[in-house]
Amino acid sequence: MIEQVFFFYFACVIAAASVLVVAAHNPIYSALALLIMFFHVAGLFVTLHAEFLAAVQIIVYAGAILVLYLFVVMLLNLRHDDRYHRQWPMAAAVGVTLVIEAVILTAMKGWATPVVATGTETTVEGTSNAGTIGDVLYSTYLFPFEVASLILLVAMIGAIILAKKDLGEPTES
Amino acid sequence: MTFKHWIKTITFYEILVGMKATMSHMLHYRPSTLQYPHEKRTLPDNYRGMLALLRYDDGTEKCVGCDLCEAACPSRVIRVVSAEVPGEPTKRYAKEYYMDMTRCLFCGMCVDACPVDALGMTREYEWAVYDKRQLDLNKEQLLAIGDRSFPVREKQLELQHPNVAFFNVAFKHLPQKPD
Amino acid sequence: MTELSLRLAVSLAQILTEMGIVMVTVATMTYFERKVLGWMQDRMGPMEVGPYGILQPVADGIKLFFKEDIVPAGANKAMFALAPMLTMVVSMIGFAVIPFGPNMTMDIFGLTIKPFVVADINIGILYILAIASIGAYGIILGGWASNSKYSLLGGLRAAAQVISYELNVGLAIVGVLLLAGSLSLVEITEAQAWHWFIWGARPDGFFPIHTQIFAFVVFIISAVAETNRIPFDLPEAESELVAGFFTEYSGMRFAFFVSAEYASMTLVSCVAASLFLGGWNAPYPGTIFEYVGLEQLAWVEHIAWFASKVYFFLFLFIWIRATLPRLRYDQLMRFGWKVMLPIALANIIITAITVYFFPRG
Amino acid sequence: MTVPLSYYLVLSGIVFLTGVIGVLLRRNIVIILLSVELMLNATNINFVAFSQYLHNVAGQVFVFFALTVAAAEVAVGLAIIIALYRAKSTINIDEFQLLKW
């Protein structure tokens, strides 16, 4: 009962905030709507017993990514914003198709909870959520983890090179 | 970078020295400030505070309306309207005397310029007011300042030594006027 | 249902008590900061209101409460109003996971509660990091919504600075997490019985090789930077940016920003005390009250130890402010990324290696 | 488990769709990137919901990787935006049509 109340609260706010992200004219409002959405997604994670991910969601998304967005929006001073794009018929077509697909799929499978799969490699129960994720991350998914660190390294170098002014010219100092 | 320098860097030596200095000031706490409205600093003897007009001991004004102070003032603080003393064609007095103290820089040149010692510098300095027009003082206010700051007054010129009436150099213990 | 409402009521009482303690700490901090700064600079500090100016925080509060609330022309009103509230709320709710006293339970009205920690969640330190990362939003929004170039510059500086130094805070505590093997602040504190993490404690004994003193130094410096205190107070550098992000704020909103700064100072002091200095643990085994046969009152000594550690850190903040000049902006960034970050990373690696070779028993 | 899994899927579908529409509809590159974040979050919701319902922690691990990719995407994307803004002093996507035919 109370779980459903929480779910519907989070779901409504997430949906409304995501619509606001797309619809808001001021980029700052978009970013703030996204911030609200991140918070409620984190809340949803908590109701799903993934509290470690909830914390990481806020730290990474809200604490780092969105601050960067706000930083860039303020740096470029994007107050005057735009109409929507010309290709909205295409967007509508894609959107409607996807909505129909989603509705059909969910209607086909029904609204019931599927049977719990068997033979899972690691269960969520047991030790704490963070501990479980750590165990799996550093054993089964060690290679993807290393690849992720490589992605971050590449992104870091790429961002520095892209954002740096007058590259290639001899720098004074 | 020498080893010593390196050690100093990683142990925050210079920052610690600074923090020791602030801490020693806190431990040996001797404030160099005063609780001003409650306790006041002793003023130096030659303090130049509020200007005042002076009187002789019988209550007559010293000022003869000569305008020399107005001429000497670098900030054009003083405005004198002089007139003849009624019935005495040879004597003049200041009919109106204004000092706009918002402009005064307390240089004391008007006091130097006065030939009859009619101006004095008191030791008053708390003259903050809410309306700066209150600082445009007239003769009565200036005389009142002089009355309360110099309760002991000089004798009339005629009652002093005869030379004083002429040269105005009688009081040997006072600073002499520069020529 | 009655049990739920009872639990809610008890939690609410706990939260209110804790907020009250924090607000009193904030009020006394505004007084003691001015007082201690005065003493260190051969001045007296506030002396007028009450004996030795002790009622100055009350006078300040009343004055700010009755001041006119000015919203600048062209400001974004909603954001302008939201920013101080966001900052204040964020700096207050972080205290929920701080253990102020020993991890004991108490029975009230048939409920078992922990009196000295509002919420003992198992990701406590991550929660605090998440909360701290939200703190930047209030500053950025306040700077942006004021429609003033000083405020905007202050907000942008705050954004860059808080991101940079939060990274160092996060990395500095990883060593402690490796040693404690837990993310819960209660368990981390309990793991440091009398040998603290700064000297290399572990839940199963004392290993000086695990010393976290470098992480501690990095944490303290980064915490000073993250709370925008001198010498890292570039977002509110008064000689360049008037007052930075709260230039345009007045009255109670200004008071919110200022008290949020003090509250976040108190929060990082609590975190530093819990993570590195053993929280409510005394620097000797057990408590004196236990030795003299007063086991019931041991928590008083524990809380006294916690409070003294927190107040030491708060005093350190003021002491640093009285001593050091403000850094230049490029110095700040270079220091954060080229000095603090490598030290924190090296600390993680060394701690990991030592934990690997001396595994927890 | 009083909330059926399909609720989570519908929610994530709605959020994902909103993201898609945002990418197609908006002309401000920053908003487009924000819409991409919406889509990533929709997948995250799915991952965590499935992880909970299938009792398999792998979904949460994948959310972790999605976060990593999102962070990398933001760093590079915002750097590109800044470079574009330097070049044309606008970030309206209609202005960047050199590769269009």
Side-chain angles (χ1 to χ4, degrees), chain B residues 86-124:
Chain B
E88 287 193 69
T90 56
K91 290 193 175 177
R92 294 179 76 81
Y93 77 113
K95 195 170 147 206
E96 294 170 41
Y97 194 101
Y98 297 103
M99 276 194 174
D100 186 1
M101 293 312 291
T102 57
R103 294 209 292 259
C104 182
L105 46 85
F106 302 99
C107 61
M109 284 167 112
C110 48
V111 182
D112 276 352
C114 186
V116 292
D117 281 347
L119 280 167
M121 299 199 94
T122 67
R123 295 155 73 85
E124 290 184 17

Short mmCIF file of all heavy atoms in Angstrom, two decimals, chain B residues 86-124:
data_model
loop_
_atom_site.label_atom_id
_atom_site.label_comp_id
_atom_site.label_asym_id
_atom_site.label_seq_id
_atom_site.Cartn_x
_atom_site.Cartn_y
_atom_site.Cartn_z
N PRO B 86 26.79 100.41 16.26
CA PRO B 86 25.94 101.61 16.24
C PRO B 86 26.42 102.65 17.24
O PRO B 86 26.69 102.32 18.40
CB PRO B 86 24.56 101.07 16.64
CG PRO B 86 24.63 99.60 16.43
CD PRO B 86 26.05 99.21 16.56
N GLY B 87 26.57 103.85 16.78
CA GLY B 87 27.00 104.94 17.65
C GLY B 87 28.50 105.07 17.76
O GLY B 87 29.00 106.03 18.33
N GLU B 88 29.25 104.15 17.29
CA GLU B 88 30.71 104.26 17.39
C GLU B 88 31.29 104.07 16.00
O GLU B 88 31.59 102.95 15.59
CB GLU B 88 31.27 103.23 18.35
CG GLU B 88 30.96 103.56 19.80
CD GLU B 88 31.80 102.70 20.74
OE1 GLU B 88 33.01 102.90 20.79
OE2 GLU B 88 31.22 101.80 21.36
N PRO B 89 31.44 105.10 15.24
CA PRO B 89 31.81 104.97 13.82
C PRO B 89 33.17 104.33 13.60
O PRO B 89 33.44 103.81 12.53
CB PRO B 89 31.80 106.41 13.31
CG PRO B 89 31.14 107.20 14.35
CD PRO B 89 31.25 106.48 15.64
N THR B 90 34.04 104.32 14.60
CA THR B 90 35.37 103.76 14.38
C THR B 90 35.43 102.27 14.66
O THR B 90 36.45 101.65 14.42
CB THR B 90 36.39 104.46 15.29
OG1 THR B 90 35.91 104.31 16.63
CG2 THR B 90 36.54 105.90 14.91
N LYS B 91 34.41 101.73 15.19
CA LYS B 91 34.47 100.31 15.57
C LYS B 91 33.51 99.50 14.72
O LYS B 91 32.41 99.95 14.41
CB LYS B 91 34.10 100.14 17.05
CG LYS B 91 35.14 100.67 17.99
CD LYS B 91 34.87 100.18 19.38
CE LYS B 91 36.01 100.62 20.31
NZ LYS B 91 35.73 100.21 21.69
N ARG B 92 33.99 98.30 14.38
CA ARG B 92 33.13 97.40 13.61
C ARG B 92 32.95 96.10 14.39
O ARG B 92 33.69 95.76 15.30
CB ARG B 92 33.76 97.07 12.25
CG ARG B 92 33.85 98.27 11.34
CD ARG B 92 34.49 97.90 10.02
NE ARG B 92 33.60 97.18 9.13
CZ ARG B 92 32.69 97.77 8.36
NH1 ARG B 92 32.54 99.08 8.40
NH2 ARG B 92 31.91 97.07 7.58
N TYR B 93 31.97 95.34 14.03
CA TYR B 93 31.76 94.02 14.64
C TYR B 93 31.15 93.12 13.59
O TYR B 93 30.70 93.56 12.53
CB TYR B 93 30.86 94.12 15.87
CG TYR B 93 29.39 94.27 15.57
CD1 TYR B 93 28.50 93.26 15.90
CD2 TYR B 93 28.90 95.42 14.96
CE1 TYR B 93 27.15 93.39 15.61
CE2 TYR B 93 27.56 95.56 14.68
CZ TYR B 93 26.68 94.54 15.02
OH TYR B 93 25.38 94.67 14.73
N ALA B 94 31.13 91.80 13.88
CA ALA B 94 30.56 90.85 12.94
C ALA B 94 29.06 90.78 13.19
O ALA B 94 28.61 90.27 14.21
CB ALA B 94 31.17 89.46 13.13
N LYS B 95 28.31 91.32 12.22
CA LYS B 95 26.86 91.29 12.40
C LYS B 95 26.34 89.86 12.26
O LYS B 95 25.53 89.40 13.04
CB LYS B 95 26.24 92.19 11.34
CG LYS B 95 24.80 92.55 11.60
CD LYS B 95 24.39 93.64 10.60
CE LYS B 95 22.93 93.50 10.22
NZ LYS B 95 22.70 94.07 8.89
N GLU B 96 26.87 89.20 11.25
CA GLU B 96 26.54 87.78 11.09
C GLU B 96 27.84 87.03 10.87
O GLU B 96 28.77 87.58 10.25
CB GLU B 96 25.61 87.56 9.89
CG GLU B 96 24.25 88.17 10.07
CD GLU B 96 23.48 88.14 8.77
OE1 GLU B 96 23.58 87.09 8.09
OE2 GLU B 96 22.83 89.12 8.44
N TYR B 97 27.90 85.83 11.36
CA TYR B 97 29.15 85.07 11.25
C TYR B 97 28.74 83.61 11.07
O TYR B 97 28.09 83.03 11.93
CB TYR B 97 29.97 85.23 12.51
CG TYR B 97 31.40 84.76 12.38
CD1 TYR B 97 32.43 85.68 12.20
CD2 TYR B 97 31.73 83.41 12.46
CE1 TYR B 97 33.73 85.28 12.07
CE2 TYR B 97 33.02 83.00 12.33
CZ TYR B 97 34.02 83.93 12.14
OH TYR B 97 35.31 83.52 12.02
N TYR B 98 29.07 83.03 9.93
CA TYR B 98 28.65 81.65 9.65
C TYR B 98 29.88 80.77 9.43
O TYR B 98 30.85 81.20 8.80
CB TYR B 98 27.77 81.58 8.40
CG TYR B 98 26.49 82.32 8.54
CD1 TYR B 98 26.32 83.56 7.96
CD2 TYR B 98 25.46 81.77 9.28
CE1 TYR B 98 25.14 84.25 8.09
CE2 TYR B 98 24.27 82.45 9.43
CZ TYR B 98 24.11 83.69 8.84
OH TYR B 98 22.95 84.36 8.99
N MET B 99 29.81 79.57 9.92
CA MET B 99 30.84 78.58 9.61
C MET B 99 30.16 77.32 9.12
O MET B 99 29.35 76.73 9.84
CB MET B 99 31.66 78.24 10.85
CG MET B 99 32.76 79.20 11.12
SD MET B 99 33.84 78.48 12.32
CE MET B 99 35.12 79.72 12.34
N ASP B 100 30.47 76.93 7.90
CA ASP B 100 29.91 75.69 7.37
C ASP B 100 30.88 74.55 7.71
O ASP B 100 31.82 74.27 6.98
CB ASP B 100 29.73 75.80 5.84
CG ASP B 100 29.02 74.60 5.29
OD1 ASP B 100 28.67 73.71 6.09
OD2 ASP B 100 28.84 74.54 4.07
N MET B 101 30.63 73.92 8.84
CA MET B 101 31.63 72.96 9.35
C MET B 101 31.70 71.67 8.52
O MET B 101 32.59 70.85 8.74
CB MET B 101 31.32 72.59 10.80
CG MET B 101 31.48 73.73 11.76
SD MET B 101 33.01 74.60 11.57
CE MET B 101 34.16 73.38 12.15
N THR B 102 30.75 71.48 7.59
CA THR B 102 30.89 70.30 6.74
C THR B 102 32.11 70.39 5.84
O THR B 102 32.60 69.39 5.37
CB THR B 102 29.66 70.15 5.84
OG1 THR B 102 29.51 71.34 5.08
CG2 THR B 102 28.42 69.89 6.65
N ARG B 103 32.58 71.62 5.61
CA ARG B 103 33.73 71.79 4.72
C ARG B 103 35.03 71.95 5.47
O ARG B 103 36.10 71.86 4.87
CB ARG B 103 33.51 73.01 3.83
CG ARG B 103 32.37 72.89 2.88
CD ARG B 103 32.62 73.71 1.64
NE ARG B 103 32.60 75.13 1.91
CZ ARG B 103 31.55 75.92 1.65
NH1 ARG B 103 30.48 75.40 1.11
NH2 ARG B 103 31.62 77.19 1.89
N CYS B 104 34.94 72.21 6.76
CA CYS B 104 36.15 72.59 7.51
C CYS B 104 37.12 71.43 7.57
O CYS B 104 36.72 70.28 7.77
CB CYS B 104 35.77 73.00 8.92
SG CYS B 104 37.17 73.52 9.89
N LEU B 105 38.41 71.71 7.35
CA LEU B 105 39.41 70.66 7.48
C LEU B 105 40.30 70.88 8.67
O LEU B 105 41.36 70.27 8.78
CB LEU B 105 40.20 70.52 6.19
CG LEU B 105 40.72 71.77 5.51
CD1 LEU B 105 42.04 72.17 6.12
CD2 LEU B 105 40.86 71.50 4.05
N PHE B 106 39.92 71.77 9.57
CA PHE B 106 40.60 71.94 10.87
C PHE B 106 42.08 72.22 10.72
O PHE B 106 42.90 71.64 11.40
CB PHE B 106 40.35 70.71 11.76
CG PHE B 106 38.90 70.46 12.00
CD1 PHE B 106 38.21 69.52 11.27
CD2 PHE B 106 38.22 71.22 12.92
CE1 PHE B 106 36.87 69.32 11.46
CE2 PHE B 106 36.87 71.03 13.13
CZ PHE B 106 36.18 70.08 12.40
N CYS B 107 42.39 73.14 9.77
CA CYS B 107 43.80 73.48 9.58
C CYS B 107 44.24 74.55 10.57
O CYS B 107 45.44 74.71 10.82
CB CYS B 107 44.04 73.96 8.16
SG CYS B 107 43.12 75.44 7.73
N GLY B 108 43.29 75.32 11.11
CA GLY B 108 43.66 76.32 12.09
C GLY B 108 44.18 77.61 11.50
O GLY B 108 44.68 78.48 12.23
N MET B 109 44.08 77.82 10.21
CA MET B 109 44.62 79.04 9.61
C MET B 109 43.78 80.26 9.98
O MET B 109 44.31 81.37 10.09
CB MET B 109 44.69 78.89 8.10
CG MET B 109 45.84 78.02 7.68
SD MET B 109 45.69 77.57 5.97
CE MET B 109 47.05 78.46 5.30
N CYS B 110 42.48 80.06 10.21
CA CYS B 110 41.66 81.20 10.62
C CYS B 110 42.08 81.67 12.01
O CYS B 110 42.13 82.88 12.27
CB CYS B 110 40.20 80.81 10.59
SG CYS B 110 39.85 79.25 11.40
N VAL B 111 42.43 80.73 12.87
CA VAL B 111 42.86 81.11 14.21
C VAL B 111 44.17 81.89 14.14
O VAL B 111 44.38 82.87 14.85
CB VAL B 111 43.01 79.84 15.08
CG1 VAL B 111 43.41 80.21 16.48
CG2 VAL B 111 41.73 79.06 15.07
N ASP B 112 45.06 81.44 13.24
CA ASP B 112 46.32 82.15 13.06
C ASP B 112 46.09 83.55 12.51
O ASP B 112 46.76 84.51 12.89
CB ASP B 112 47.21 81.39 12.07
CG ASP B 112 47.96 80.31 12.77
OD1 ASP B 112 47.88 80.27 14.01
OD2 ASP B 112 48.61 79.49 12.09
N ALA B 113 45.09 83.61 11.60
CA ALA B 113 44.91 84.88 10.91
C ALA B 113 44.24 85.93 11.79
O ALA B 113 44.39 87.12 11.55
CB ALA B 113 44.07 84.66 9.65
N CYS B 114 43.51 85.50 12.80
CA CYS B 114 42.72 86.47 13.55
C CYS B 114 43.63 87.43 14.31
O CYS B 114 44.48 87.00 15.10
CB CYS B 114 41.81 85.74 14.54
SG CYS B 114 40.69 86.84 15.38
N PRO B 115 43.47 88.74 14.12
CA PRO B 115 44.37 89.69 14.80
C PRO B 115 43.99 89.92 16.25
O PRO B 115 44.79 90.47 17.00
CB PRO B 115 44.22 90.95 13.96
CG PRO B 115 42.84 90.86 13.40
CD PRO B 115 42.55 89.41 13.20
N VAL B 116 42.76 89.54 16.64
CA VAL B 116 42.34 89.86 18.02
C VAL B 116 42.08 88.59 18.83
O VAL B 116 41.43 88.66 19.87
CB VAL B 116 41.07 90.73 17.99
CG1 VAL B 116 41.42 92.10 17.44
CG2 VAL B 116 39.99 90.08 17.18
N ASP B 117 42.55 87.44 18.35
CA ASP B 117 42.36 86.17 19.05
C ASP B 117 40.88 85.88 19.30
O ASP B 117 40.51 85.33 20.33
CB ASP B 117 43.10 86.14 20.39
CG ASP B 117 44.57 85.85 20.19
OD1 ASP B 117 44.90 85.45 19.05
OD2 ASP B 117 45.34 86.01 21.12
N ALA B 118 40.03 86.23 18.36
CA ALA B 118 38.61 86.01 18.58
C ALA B 118 38.21 84.58 18.26
O ALA B 118 37.12 84.15 18.62
CB ALA B 118 37.80 86.95 17.70
N LEU B 119 39.05 83.82 17.56
CA LEU B 119 38.72 82.44 17.21
C LEU B 119 39.57 81.50 18.05
O LEU B 119 40.74 81.80 18.33
CB LEU B 119 39.00 82.17 15.74
CG LEU B 119 37.95 82.64 14.74
CD1 LEU B 119 38.52 82.59 13.36
CD2 LEU B 119 36.74 81.78 14.86
N GLY B 120 38.98 80.40 18.43
CA GLY B 120 39.75 79.41 19.17
C GLY B 120 39.39 78.02 18.70
O GLY B 120 38.30 77.80 18.17
N MET B 121 40.31 77.10 18.89
CA MET B 121 40.00 75.71 18.56
C MET B 121 39.77 74.95 19.85
O MET B 121 40.65 74.86 20.71
CB MET B 121 41.13 75.06 17.76
CG MET B 121 41.36 75.78 16.45
SD MET B 121 42.25 74.81 15.26
CE MET B 121 40.95 74.08 14.34
N THR B 122 38.58 74.42 19.99
CA THR B 122 38.24 73.68 21.20
C THR B 122 38.71 72.24 21.05
O THR B 122 39.31 71.87 20.04
CB THR B 122 36.73 73.69 21.43
OG1 THR B 122 36.13 72.94 20.38
CG2 THR B 122 36.21 75.10 21.40
N ARG B 123 38.41 71.41 22.03
CA ARG B 123 38.78 69.99 21.97
C ARG B 123 37.54 69.12 21.75
O ARG B 123 37.56 67.94 22.06
CB ARG B 123 39.50 69.59 23.25
CG ARG B 123 40.82 70.30 23.39
CD ARG B 123 41.23 70.40 24.84
NE ARG B 123 41.66 69.13 25.37
CZ ARG B 123 42.89 68.67 25.24
NH1 ARG B 123 43.79 69.40 24.62
NH2 ARG B 123 43.22 67.51 25.75
N GLU B 124 36.51 69.75 21.24
CA GLU B 124 35.31 68.95 20.94
C GLU B 124 35.46 68.28 19.59
O GLU B 124 35.95 68.89 18.63
CB GLU B 124 34.08 69.87 20.90
CG GLU B 124 33.68 70.41 22.23
CD GLU B 124 32.40 71.22 22.10
OE1 GLU B 124 31.71 71.07 21.09
OE2 GLU B 124 32.14 72.00 23.03
#
